[in-house]
Amino acid sequence: MTTGIDSAGGTTPITEVPQSSAARQIFRMLWRDKLAFAAAIFLVLMVLCAVLGPLMLEDQATRQNLRGRNAPPFDFSRDWLFWLGGDTLGRPLLARIIVAAQNTLMVAAGAVVCSLIIGTTLGLVAGYSGPRTSQVIMRFADVIMSFPSLLLAVIVLYMLSPSVGNLVIVLAITRIPVYLRTSRAEVLEVRERMFVQAAQVMGASGRRIVFRHILPIVMPTLVTIATLDFAFVMLAESSLSFLGIGIQPPEITWGLMVSQGRPYLTTAWWQSFFPGLAIIMTTLSLNLLSNWMRTALDPVQRWRLEIARKKK
Amino acid sequence: MKSFLQKRAVASAISLAGLIVLVFFLSRLTGDPTTLYLPVDASLESREQFRELHGLNDPLIVQFGSYLSDLARLDFGDSIRRSEPALDAVLRAFVWTLQLAVITMSLVTVMAIIVGSLAAFHVGGVFDRIATFFSLIGASAPDFWIAIVAIVLFSVNLGWVPTSGTGTVWHWVLPVAVLFIRPFGLILQVVRGSMITVLSSAYVKTARAKGVRNRAIIFVHGLRNAMLPVITVIGDQAAALLNGAVVVETVFGFPGVGKLMIDSILQRDFTVVLAAIFVTAVAIFIMNIIIDIIYAVLDPRIRY
Amino acid sequence: MTGDHLLEVRNLSVDFHTAGGTVHAVRNVNWHLGRGETLAILGESGSGKSVSASAIMNLIDCPPGEIVSGEILFEGRDVLKMSQEERRDLNGRRIAMIFQDPLSHLNPVYTVGFQIAEVMTTHGTRKAEARARVLDLLERVGIPEFETKIDAYPHQFSGGQRQRLMIAMALALKPDILIADEPTTALDVTVQAQVLELLEELQQETGMGMLLITHDLGVVAETADRVVVMNSGEIVEAGTARDVYHAPSHPYTKKLIGAVPGAGEMAEPLDTGIKPVLEVNRLSKHYGNFVALDKVSLTVLPGETVAVVGESGSGKSTLAKTLLRLEEATAGEALWEGRDLVTMGQPELFDLRRDIQMVFQDPTQSLNPRMSVHDIVAEAFVIHPQILPKSQWRDRVRELLAHVGLEAAHMSRYPHQFSGGQRQRIAIARALALEPRLIICDEAVSALDVSIQAQVMGLLADLQKEFGLSYLFIAHDLPVVRDFAHRVIVMKNGKIVEQGPVAQIFDAPREDYTRNLIAAGLHPDPDIQAGRRAARLELQGA
C-alpha cells in the first residue's frame, strides 16, 4: 500500500468488529480467490480418493481384462472406470489413478510432515542456541543439501526395501534443509523482537521462548512452505519412480504409471498422459493454495482477499 | 573480503569432506560391483582377480585410506566400467551440463524478471493473473511428463526436432525448453512477491513523489532491491541444474553429469560417482561465491 | 475565490476499504495554501492528517483507497482531473514532499547523489548539469564534505543528515509547494530544531508555500502561520497558530492543548536518608572498541522516579538492557539490595526478575500478537508458579487489568484489537503481575499520542503511589520528564554529564549540553516559542 490510513502512527485502525469465527473468516477469504477455492475442493477430492479409493476399487484396478486392452479414452459406452481408457493389460486407467492416489499422497505427506518436524526443530535450536551448535547444524544441512538425492534413494532402497516407508525416509531427509534454513532465519529475526525480550525480562526459559513465543510466529510461514513442498516432494517421488528407483510394482504411484506407459506413448498415449495430468493438477492445486495462504497470512497484502472486488 | 573467502572455503571444505566420507562408505553398502560386471557363471578366481584389480578386497578403511592419498594428488581413480580416469569422464559430461545450465538459467532469469516485475506492478490485473496462473502451472509441472509429452508431440508427431542425442542446435531445443519451465515458474513467483513488497516500500513512495516514471520505478528503484531474495532462489535452481538434470538428461539421451551419475550409481562405478560429486560440489561452491559477490554489488550495505 | 490560492483542497473525502468495512479516512476537508505561507495540519495518529497530502501527490492506491468527492486545485486547475502524466510532471517539479523516517524513504542501494539528481533528470535536466546542482544543494543544506559524500549511500549518514538530503532532493527544482509529513518526528530535539530552521530559511529564499503535517504542537508553534486541527478524518478547528492555541473553540483542541506535557508542578526530591533499592557503581559496557556505557554511577530510592535523558546514541537504552541482563556489562557493579546483579548466577537472577520489570517503547511490538491478553498477563504466573495457584490466575488478571483501567471483558482479546494506549496499559499490567519494586520504562510513552501519553503517565504515577514503585524512566522527551521525575540524569556518549533534582536540571542546568537540550525543546505556545527561539539563536551566536 502506498499510503496507509495514517503514515505517522503506522497503526491499523482499531477493529472493534465482532470477530466472526476463524473458520468462517477463512472460508470467506478462500471464496474470494476462486482459483484457490477450486484448488481446495480438488485437493479434498484427491484426499477422499486416497482414503476410500483402494477400499472400493482395489479389485477393479488390478483385474486384467483382455477386452479392455489399450481401450481408448472417452468411450462413454463403456463402464465409467474405462472413461480414461485402459492399459496394456486391460486394467481401467481411472480406477488405477484413484487407487494410486493413496501411495502418491501418502509418500508426499509422510515426507513433508517428517521433514517439517525434524527440520523445524533443528532450525529452532540452531537459531536460538550459541554460534557453535548453530555452525554444526548448518554444516550438517550443507552436507545433506549437496548429497545427491538419487544416490541416497539407491542406497536406502538397496539396503532396505523399496517400500512406501523407506521412500518417505529418503524424501524426508532431502527436504530437511528447507525447513531448517527457513526456521533458523526466522528465529534469528523474531528473537530480536521486543516481546521476546519482554519474556526474557520476566525470566522465561529458552524452551518457553522458543515454543511459546517464536514458534507460533514462524509457523504460518512454515505451513505455507510445506504446502509448496508437498508439490515438490510429489514431483520428486514421481521422478524416482519414473527412473525405476522408487516404488516398485505391483504397488503403484502416478509417477510409476507415467513410466509404465512410456513404451506405449505412440500407440496408447493416454497411459502416460492421464497419470501425469493427475500429478500436475494436484501440484497446481497445492501451489495455488500456497499462493493464497501467502497473501492471506501477510497483513500488508491481506486486504486483497477481504474487500469485495470493485466494479469497474 | 579475503577473510570472508577463506571462511567460506573452510566451511565448504568441511562439508565436502563430510560428503566424501559419507558417500564413500554409504555407496559401498549398495552392493558389490563384481556381481554386476562379471557373468553369473564366472569362476571364483576371475572374481578374485576383478576384486584385486579394483582394490575391493582390502578392508573398507584401507580402501578409504588409499582413496584419500590418491585424492590428495587429485587422482580420482579409474572408472570400473569405462577403463579411463573417472575425472575425465566426469569433466566431459560436466561441460555438457554446464552449457545446458547456463543457457537455461540465462533464459529463465531474464524472462522471469521481466514478466514478474510487470505482473507485480498491477497486482490483480489481467496480466498479473495470467502470468501468475501460468507460472504456477510451470512450477507444478513434472518435468519427465512434460519431456515425454513434448517428444511425442514435437518429435514423433510433428517431426520438428530430434528426439534425443546432441549434435545440432535443434538437439538443444527440447531439453532447454523442458528444463526452463519449472525454474521459470518458481523464480517468476519470487520476483513477483519480492517486487510487490518493494513497490509498497517507503522509497518507492518517495520516487513517486519525485515524479519518476513508472518504468524507472519498476526497473531502477524496484528491481535492484527486489533482486536480493531472487538471487538466492536463482542460486538454488542453478545448483540443482549443475547437479545434473537427471530426468531430462535421461529422457533426451543427453550426455550430462546427471545421466552419468545415475548410470554410475546403478553400475556401482564408485570412482565416477565420487568424482562427479566432487566436481559438482566445487562448481556449486564457486557459484555461491559469485552469488555472494553479486549480493555485495547490488546492495552497498552488504560488506564482507 | 478560485485562483486566489496556490493550492486549495475542497470538500475532499477519501475512503479506505478494509476488512472491517469502509473507513472514512477524511471527510469534507477544506484548506488552502498560498505562496510563502506555512500551513500546519495538526492531528494524532488515525486522524487522517496525511491523507489529503497523499491525495495531492497521487500516492493513494485505489483500491483499497477511493477518492469519493472533492477537488484539489493547483493554480486553479483540479489535479484530480489531470492525466497521470500531467500529475507525474507536477510531482517533484512544482510540488515536492518529504517524509518522516528518511532512512526508509531513501533507496538503500543508490548513492544519494544519484537520488537527488534523479529529480532533475526525470524532469528533463541534463546529467552533468544535475550533478553540479546536486553539489550546490548538498552544500546549501549543510552536508559536511559534500564533494565526497555525494557518492555515499543513505546508510552512511546520520538521521539528521538524511532528512537534510531529503530536503535537498525536494528543493532541487525549486518547487512552489513543499509538503513535509512529520519531518522531524524521529529526530533528536537539537537536530529537530536545526532541520526546522533550515526549512524556514529555504522557504524565505524561494518563497514556496509549505504544508507541514505534524502531531506536535511545539512544531506548529515554531513554524506555522496557520493551522488546521484534524480529528477522526474531519477538520475540527482552523485559524492562525496563535488564535488556535490561545482561544481554542472545539473541545478536542482544548483537550489536545491541555494534554501537552511540561506545564505542571515539578516534583520535590525524596528524602535522601532512605536506603536506595538500586545502586549502580561505575557500570561500563563496551562493544569492541565502542564504549556504549562509560563508568555510569547512579542510585534509585524506593518510590522514586529517576529519569535518564539524552539524545540517541547517549547509551540510555544500553543502561536499561545491562541492568536487566539482556546485555552483559563489561565492568562495574549494580547492587540490588546489596547483591550485585551484574555477576548474579541464573537461579538468583530468576528471582530478581520478579523485582525488576520493564515497560518497552512500542507496545505494538512488545506484546506477542498471537497471545490473548489473559495469556500475556498470566505468563508471569506460568514462569513464576510460586506467585499464585492456577485457580486464582483469572481473578488476578482481572484485578490487574482493573488497575490499569481495562475491563475484564478485554481478557480474551488479542493485542491488535486495542489502541496504542490500551496496549501500553496491557504491557504495564504484565509488568505489575510479578509485583516488582522497580520498573524500567524505556521510552514507555514516546510512541503514544499526546492525549494518550498524559493518561498513561497519570496511570504510572497512581501506581507508584499505590504500590511504592520505583521507576527508572528512560526518555528523550524533556517535557514528559519534567512533569514526572523526581531526579534527572543527563547522558551523552555513554557518560553521565549531569544529575540532580528535576527542578535544578530544568531551572538551573549547570552544563552547556543540558542547557542546549532544554533550549532546543519546542513550546506549544507560539509566543513563548518565539521568545525561546530568540534565546536559542543567541546561545548559538555566543
Side-chain angles (χ1 to χ4, degrees), chain B residues 201-203 205-214 216 219-222 224-225 228 298-301 303, chain C residues 57-59 61 88 91-92 97 99 104-110 114-115 118-119 122-123 153 155 166 169:
Chain B
S201 69
Y203 49 82
K205 190 165 144 186
T206 309
R208 283 171 67 175
K210 274 154 67 172
V212 178
R213 287 180 179 78
N214 284 341
F219 291 108
V220 177
H221 288 272
R224 193 158 154 188
N225 286 286
L228 295 172
L298 283 179
D299 189 342
R301 289 168 298 180
R303 285 289 165 263
Chain C
M57 302 303 285
N58 198 14
L59 295 178
D61 272 342
R88 188 192 63 70
N91 279 6
M97 185 162 180
F99 303 89
S104 64
H105 281 89
L106 286 165
N107 195 327
V109 302
Y110 290 103
F114 169 81
Q115 295 187 58
E118 193 187 21
V119 187
T122 294
H123 293 284
Y153 292 90
H155 70 276
M166 291 290 289
M169 191 187 293

Side-chain angles (χ1 to χ4, degrees), chain C residues 481-499:
Chain C
V481 166
R482 185 183 176 282
D483 284 358
F484 188 58
H486 294 104
R487 270 188 312 123
V488 179
I489 292 171
V490 184
M491 285 187 72
K492 184 194 177 189
N493 298 337
K495 285 195 184 72
I496 293 180
V497 289
E498 182 167 6
Q499 60 174 309

Side-chain angles (χ1 to χ4, degrees), chain A residues 38-300:
Chain A
I41 294 204
F42 181 79
L43 287 175
V44 170
L45 203 69
M46 281 300 118
V47 170
L48 285 179
C49 284
V51 175
L52 303 175
L55 288 176
M56 293 162 63
L57 296 171
E58 185 77 65
D59 273 354
Q60 288 93 320
T62 46
R63 193 188 308 136
Q64 302 184 5
N65 174 353
L66 286 181
R67 278 193 305 150
R69 278 180 63 183
N70 288 342
F74 311 123
D75 179 356
F76 298 114
S77 58
R78 284 173 168 277
D79 184 45
W80 65 277
L81 286 172
F82 276 95
W83 285 359
L84 294 184
D87 70 3
T88 3
L89 297 175
R91 296 172 293 193
L93 216 49
L94 183 57
R96 285 178 68 74
I97 288 177
I98 292 175
V99 171
Q102 186 170 57
N103 277 339
T104 311
L105 295 186
M106 238 166 56
V107 169
V112 166
V113 170
C114 290
S115 52
L116 176 67
I117 292 173
I118 299 171
T120 306
T121 311
L122 287 175
L124 291 175
V125 173
Y128 201 73
S129 57
R132 195 159 303 162
T133 321
S134 173
Q135 276 302 313
V136 171
I137 294 177
M138 291 317 283
R139 290 291 82 73
F140 165 72
D142 284 352
V143 172
I144 295 182
M145 291 273 282
S146 42
F147 200 98
S149 47
L150 283 171
L151 180 60
L152 187 70
V154 174
I155 291 168
V156 171
L157 301 177
Y158 270 88
M159 282 168 54
L160 313 164
S161 59
S163 66
V164 169
N166 292 333
L167 202 55
V168 166
I169 294 177
V170 171
L171 292 168
I173 291 176
T174 58
R175 301 313 289 166
I176 285 175
V178 175
Y179 301 97
L180 199 160
R181 284 160 102 201
T182 313
S183 54
R184 175 174 171 271
E186 292 264 320
V187 170
L188 289 180
E189 192 260 316
V190 176
R191 67 182 285 186
E192 296 303 320
R193 293 210 201 157
M194 262 190 226
F195 62 82
V196 172
Q197 287 188 9
Q200 280 171 335
V201 168
M202 281 198 285
S205 63
R207 191 189 305 164
R208 182 173 172 82
I209 286 173
V210 167
F211 286 102
R212 193 74 180 87
H213 290 279
I214 296 180
L215 189 59
I217 304 288
V218 178
M219 213 54 211
T221 315
L222 290 172
V223 170
T224 310
I225 292 178
T227 314
L228 205 61
D229 213 39
F230 196 100
F232 184 91
V233 170
M234 262 186 64
L235 294 181
E237 179 273 321
S238 306
S239 300
L240 287 180
S241 300
F242 179 79
L243 292 170
I245 44 182
I247 294 282
Q248 304 293 326
E251 290 285 329
I252 42 171
T253 68
W254 291 337
L256 193 60
M257 288 176 73
V258 174
S259 165
Q260 286 173 337
R262 198 178 156 205
Y264 315 105
L265 263 183
T266 43
T267 50
W269 55 270
W270 51 91
Q271 288 190 27
S272 278
F273 183 81
F274 287 115
L277 198 65
I279 296 175
I280 203 170
M281 294 276 284
T282 311
T283 48
L284 177 62
S285 299
L286 287 162
N287 272 317
L288 285 169
L289 208 60
S290 164
N291 213 34
W292 169 83
M293 268 199 247
R294 229 186 339 252
T295 311
L297 292 172
D298 181 352
V300 181

Side-chain angles (χ1 to χ4, degrees), chain C residues 461-480:
Chain C
D462 290 346
L463 293 171
Q464 182 167 53
K465 262 186 225 126
E466 202 174 334
F467 302 111
L469 290 172
S470 306
Y471 293 122
L472 190 65
F473 192 83
I474 291 163
H476 70 278
D477 193 359
L478 289 170
V480 168

Side-chain angles (χ1 to χ4, degrees), chain B residues 8 32-33 60 81 121 127 146 150 171 183 189 197 211 261 263 266:
Chain B
R8 284 296 297 265
D32 185 346
L60 258 187
R81 205 175 82 96
F121 193 67
F127 184 79
I146 299 282
H171 283 99
Q189 284 296 306
T197 312
M261 181 98 87
D263 289 346
L266 294 176

